[in-house]
C-alpha cells in the first residue's frame, strides 16, 4: 500500500535540514556523523567517480579540494558549471542543480531509512529557499527535488517558512 510521507526540507547553502511529523510532534531528522544537519557538500572520488555527500564529502575534500563542491546553491539557476577531474585527465561536469539533486538524494535516502519506507511510498516535500531567490532559482530547486525522486509540493521563502 502506498503511503504519502510529508517532510520539510531546508536546502541550505552550507547545511541541509529535514523535518518530519511524528505523531503530533515535529522531529528533526538526524544524519550520521553530522547531528541534525547534512552538510550541503559534494565530493566526487577521482578514481571511482563515486559521489559522496555530507560530512564525509567535506572530509574527503580536504585531501582533494578540486573534487569537492561547497555552497553550490549560491549559483543555482545561473550558468555555473563545475568541472571535477577524474582519472586519465578527464572531467565530470556538474551544474549547481546537479549538486542540489545529489544532496536531496542523500536526504531522501536517510528519510527512507529512518521512517522505514518502501519503494511504494512517496515522499512529499516543501523546500525552503532564500527570500531573494528568483523564479528561475525556485524552478531549478523544484527540478533538483524531482530529479532526486521527491514530490515537490512547493518552495517557500525562508521567512515565510519560519
Amino acid at each position: 500500500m502506498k503511503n504519502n510521507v510529508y517532510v520539510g526540507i531546508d536546502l541550505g547553502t552550507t547545511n541541509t535540514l529535514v523535518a518530519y511529523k511524528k505523531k503530533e510532534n515535529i522531529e528533526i531528522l538526524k544524519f550520521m556523523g553530522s547531528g541534525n544537519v547534512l552538510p550541503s557538500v559534494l565530493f566526487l572520488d577521482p578514481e571511482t567517480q563515486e559521489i559522496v555527500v555530507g560530512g564525509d564529502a567535506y572530509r574527503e575534500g580536504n585531501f582533494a579540494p578540486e573534487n569537492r563542491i561547497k555552497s553550490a546553491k549560491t549559483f543555482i539557476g545561473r550558468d555555473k558549471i563545475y568541472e571535477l577531474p577524474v582519472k586519465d585527465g578527464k572531467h565530470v561536469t556538474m551544474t549547481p542543480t546537479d549538486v542540489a539533486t545529489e544532496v536531496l538524494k542523500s536526504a531522501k535516502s536517510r528519510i527512507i531509512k529512518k521512517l522505514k519506507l518502501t519503494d511504494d511510498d512517496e515522499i512529499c516535500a516543501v523546500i525552503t529557499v532564500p527570500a531573494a531567490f528568483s523564479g528561475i532559482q525556485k524552478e531549478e530547486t523544484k527540478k533538483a527535488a524531482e530529479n532526486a525522486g521527491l514530490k515537490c509540493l512547493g518552495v517557500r521563502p525562508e521567512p515565510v517558512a519560519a
Side-chain angles (χ1 to χ4, degrees), residues 11-41:
L11 177 62
T13 303
T14 306
N15 294 301
T16 295
L17 185 129
V18 177
Y20 63 97
K21 190 171 182 181
K22 182 178 181 182
K23 296 183 182 177
E24 295 302 315
N25 297 315
I26 302 297
E27 299 282 329
I28 304 298
L29 190 66
K30 295 197 182 322
F31 292 91
M32 292 178 52
S34 304
N36 291 342
V37 297
L38 173 67
S40 301
V41 179

Side-chain angles (χ1 to χ4, degrees), residues 69-118:
I69 301 173
K70 302 185 299 184
S71 303
K73 189 180 91 169
T74 303
F75 303 104
I76 199 164
R78 300 185 184 158
D79 292 335
K80 175 82 172 167
I81 300 289
Y82 297 97
E83 288 193 10
L84 306 172
V86 292
K87 62 183 176 182
D88 300 327
K90 297 180 181 172
H91 289 84
V92 170
T93 60
M94 297 185 84
T95 67
T97 303
D98 295 331
V99 176
T101 296
E102 294 301 328
V103 171
L104 290 169
K105 279 183 186 177
S106 186
K108 178 186 175 192
S109 175
R110 183 68 185 117
I111 293 165
I112 289 169
K113 185 174 181 179
K114 172 66 179 173
L115 302 180
K116 298 177 175 76
L117 304 178
T118 68

